[in-house]
Amino acid sequence: MTSKKSPPEIEFSEIREYHSSWSGLFFKVKKLLYSHRSPFQKIEVIENEYFGKVLLLDGLVQTTERDEFYYHEMLVHPALITHPSPQDILIIGGGDGGVLKEILLYPVERLWLVEIDSQVIEVSKNFFPWLSPALEDKRVELVIGDGGEFIRQTNRKFDVVLVDSSDPVGPSSRLHEEDFYRDLKKRLNPDGVVVTQLGSPFYHLEEIKEKSIFLAKIFKLTRLYTGPVPSYPGGIWCYAYLGGEINPSKLSREPPGGLKYFNKEIHRKAFSLPNLLKDKLG
Ligand code: AG3
């Protein structure tokens, strides 16, 4: 079958993300909305007829208007429906506001968002206004700085920590290292939960394996789960639910109404792992 709607007969430039040296995904650029190198990374926003606005950091797709909810809902809701009383919440990364918008669906009290690159926040406010009202919420304290430094210096403790990093390259690499998670564990309340993104089970299986082994040494409980993200490498993404006292199968509350992907059945199913991921936990 041919595609339903072909692009008009004019030349569009393309933006490509390589997923391996031989394969990847391309987006036709209807309009280049922003392209600038910040002190940390190259930030680009393009308009694509199918995906809407697309944000890329160093050439890696972070979020698109059309499919952002798959990733943001799956990163946030498993922790927020299982923690008995999520009050103090920390987001590391996530300057586009997508994780925040999901968290603010719950009656949480205090939130910190630590983003290294203030330009990601500014660009998202301009081009992703459906995400950025969350960035203006009174409960949110914005910290511009390195997430690793922040957790080493703060003496606060958190109920839920969500690590919304990019791939382990550039400014995000530290957020994928063992020492970072050791420091993070010290900042968790006894029943605290950390959720972090681990990458694609298809393209990044070795990295997922390595990371799972050190995470299982640090946290009493390490459970992997997966969910779809059409615009990310391989289309399926892996996350880790880390903690000790909280059992991710035991729900403390209903998910908020109005979500597009996540529900209780998806939550349960997400933790049943395909064989190729099952044996990865050291
Ligand atoms: N953070 C995870 C992005 C990983 C995408 N990787 C890639 N395209 N190779 C997303 C930030 C959105 N809040």
Side-chain angles (χ1 to χ4, degrees), residues 41 43 45 55 57 62-63 68 71-72 75 90-101 103 112-136 140-145 147 162-166 171-172 175 232:
Q41 56 207 336
I43 306 175
V45 181
L55 170 71
L57 298 179
Q62 301 297 312
T63 204
E68 60 83 22
Y71 173 83
H72 292 130
L75 190 78
L90 171 65
I91 304 163
I92 306 227
D96 56 68
V99 166
L100 254 183
K101 122 178 118 60
I103 297 175
W112 288 260
L113 185 144
V114 185
E115 166 62 56
I116 198 164
D117 193 343
S118 61
Q119 290 186 26
V120 170
I121 296 180
E122 288 318 308
V123 166
S124 305
K125 278 188 187 163
N126 283 338
F127 296 108
F128 296 85
W130 55 92
L131 300 181
S132 65
L135 292 166
E136 313 288 344
V140 180
E141 188 171 319
L142 267 184
V143 179
I144 303 300
L162 299 159
V163 184
D164 184 18
S165 56
S166 185
S172 267
L175 307 181
Y232 285 180

